[in-house]
Amino acid sequence: MPKASRSRGAPRRSQPAARRSNTPFILVGAAAVVVSAALAAIALSGPGEIAEPAAQVSIAGQPLPEYPGSAADPAVGQPMPTLSGVGLDGRQISIGPDDGPMAVVVLAHWCTHCQAELPRIVQFIQQGGVPGGVAVVGLSTGIDAVRPNYPPSAWFDREAWQQPTLIDDAGSRALGALGMSSFPGFVFVDGQGRVALRLTGEIGPEAFGAALASLAP
């Protein structure tokens, strides 16, 4: 807090009260700053939650072309870019062509279709549906503290999602590098690190399992 201006030099000994009178105002001002900061933290994180900002990500390699939907996918046969950053567990994580064969599951915590799809995928994994030698990883994207179901880590915990999951940055650069603009999204990568298939929407465990089976070594 800036100090009040004093243009008359040092206070005289005969006026100690003038020096002491500033103390309550300084304490009140400091308390107001602390209260304002606390209220701001509560507003961002919500009751009983800790704010979970988007993380930093780095991208190596060529981003995939935009997913066209029903048309022929130009990304098929192209190497997946390497996405690096922080995982849900707070550790460094990297997802790239050397990690195939795998499925990258793209999810946003506030997306109702993602909320419907995630428990079905978790059940499929828990029932042993993933073929040996094939990995399933996640990308948590679209992170927004003012949208429902925040923070995403709490949502993943509730749904018992235990797959390695990269946290996207505030600009959703990892999502963009996968050429995706909607979610849930799925990028299936073969053993050579090339895109075999991309899908969006609620595909269900049957289509998810079929795509994984096609990647099995």
Side-chain angles (χ1 to χ4, degrees), residues 27-58:
L27 293 176
V28 170
V33 171
V34 172
V35 171
S36 297
L39 290 175
I42 292 172
L44 285 173
S45 61
E49 295 176 357
I50 299 175
E52 184 178 297
Q56 296 290 327
V57 299
S58 61

Side-chain angles (χ1 to χ4, degrees), residues 75-118:
V76 172
Q78 293 194 14
M80 177 189 166
T82 299
L83 314 176
S84 302
V86 178
L88 287 175
D89 59 1
R91 300 178 181 179
Q92 292 295 313
I93 182 175
S94 180
I95 303 171
D98 293 338
D99 301 313
M102 66 178 170
V104 182
V105 183
V106 181
L107 300 159
H109 61 92
W110 48 265
C111 162
T112 56
H113 295 290
C114 298
Q115 293 167 14
E117 186 81 333
L118 181 58

Side-chain angles (χ1 to χ4, degrees):
M1 174 182 292
K3 295 183 179 178
S5 174
R6 297 289 184 184
S7 59
R8 299 181 182 179
R12 299 176 182 176
R13 292 185 178 181
S14 60
Q15 296 177 327
R19 293 173 61 188
R20 291 195 300 269
S21 64
N22 286 334
T23 303
F25 294 102
I26 294 173
L27 293 176
V28 170
V33 171
V34 172
V35 171
S36 297
L39 290 175
I42 292 172
L44 285 173
S45 61
E49 295 176 357
I50 299 175
E52 184 178 297
Q56 296 290 327
V57 299
S58 61
I59 300 166
Q62 288 295 321
L64 299 177
E66 183 179 354
Y67 176 62
S70 58
D73 189 350
V76 172
Q78 293 194 14
M80 177 189 166
T82 299
L83 314 176
S84 302
V86 178
L88 287 175
D89 59 1
R91 300 178 181 179
Q92 292 295 313
I93 182 175
S94 180
I95 303 171
D98 293 338
D99 301 313
M102 66 178 170
V104 182
V105 183
V106 181
L107 300 159
H109 61 92
W110 48 265
C111 162
T112 56
H113 295 290
C114 298
Q115 293 167 14
E117 186 81 333
L118 181 58
R120 294 193 285 256
I121 297 174
V122 168
Q123 184 179 37
F124 176 85
I125 295 172
Q126 291 177 340
Q127 292 176 345
V130 180
V134 180
V136 176
V137 300
L139 172 64
S140 176
T141 190
I143 301 169
D144 190 339
V146 302
R147 293 206 179 203
N149 213 29
Y150 182 88
S153 59
W155 171 49
F156 286 117
D157 284 343
R158 287 195 304 272
E159 298 295 347
W161 173 262
Q162 299 180 353
Q163 309 309 117
T165 299
L166 175 70
I167 301 174
D168 209 348
D169 66 8
S172 297
R173 290 177 62 238
L175 178 72
L178 295 179
M180 311 291 271
S181 59
S182 60
F183 18 75
F186 303 86
V187 181
F188 297 94
V189 182
D190 65 20
Q192 286 71 48
R194 300 171 302 194
V195 175
L197 177 68
R198 290 189 297 181
L199 298 171
T200 57
E202 297 180 42
I203 65 173
E206 184 175 343
F208 184 67
L212 293 179
S214 70
L215 301 175

